[in-house]
Amino acid sequence: MQIIFGYVFIDRDGKHFRHILNWLRDGVAPIPKLSDLERSELLQEAEYYRLLGLVDEINEVLNRKKDEEVESELTRTDIIKCIQSEKVRLRGVNLSGLDLSKLDLSGVDFSFACLKNVNFSCANLYRAKFQVNYAT
């Protein structure tokens, strides 16, 4: 950044500068609406301008997105097929993000399974087993 005859010259790509200005004016940037590449580029610009609040916001969205990207080992259809059998054990299985709403999951063993963001609304969980490993 140089100051020449009362003007400020910023030698940066202007692609994301409108987001920088809007964040400086209003504290708002469309971070969730941007693509991964645009988020990375905006993060680089925010770091260059040392806008720590914007850097924190972008990193928060990136971390949240990484958490959501964890995929389940099974699909809802797989679960439906499994629960039609007599005794179902899903011990230690990654079921992250699955919609298991309105299913009869009575007696299913979910011990040590990864159940992050699983939707159990209106599911029958009578006698279902949930055990957590507290040692880790």
Side-chain angles (χ1 to χ4, degrees):
M1 196 177 336
Q2 298 175 343
I3 299 178
I4 304 172
F5 303 111
Y7 294 94
V8 176
F9 176 73
I10 302 172
D11 189 17
R12 298 295 288 176
D13 186 354
K15 181 177 179 182
H16 299 290
F17 194 67
R18 66 187 173 101
H19 299 311
I20 298 289
L21 285 177
N22 287 335
W23 189 83
L24 287 170
R25 290 178 185 136
D26 308 322
V28 176
I31 300 164
K33 296 179 182 179
L34 299 175
S35 70
D36 290 341
L37 176 62
E38 291 171 323
R39 262 189 227 109
S40 297
E41 292 170 348
L42 183 59
L43 178 61
Q44 187 175 3
E45 293 300 303
E47 289 171 342
Y48 174 80
Y49 293 113
R50 297 186 179 153
L51 302 173
L52 300 181
L54 182 56
V55 168
D56 290 343
E57 282 184 41
I58 296 168
N59 282 327
E60 184 178 314
V61 170
L62 290 172
N63 290 337
R64 194 176 327 129
K65 188 165 174 46
K66 285 178 189 173
D67 288 344
E68 292 170 359
E69 288 175 353
V70 176
E71 288 189 28
S72 173
E73 295 174 22
L74 301 171
T75 65
R76 180 181 171 92
T77 305
D78 295 332
I79 299 297
I80 291 170
K81 288 176 184 175
C82 284
I83 61 177
Q84 291 172 346
S85 66
E86 193 122 335
K87 188 172 183 176
V88 182
R89 293 181 63 192
L90 298 171
R91 294 175 62 92
V93 177
N94 180 2
L95 302 174
S96 299
L98 279 184
D99 177 13
L100 301 181
S101 61
K102 301 178 183 175
L103 294 179
D104 182 4
L105 302 170
S106 56
V108 174
D109 186 357
F110 291 104
S111 299
F112 308 107
C114 181
L115 302 172
K116 187 172 187 173
N117 299 322
V118 173
N119 180 2
F120 285 112
S121 66
C122 299
N124 180 0
L125 296 171
Y126 177 70
R127 296 182 57 216
K129 294 179 185 175
F130 296 91
Q131 185 172 349
V132 180
N133 184 359
Y134 292 106
T136 57

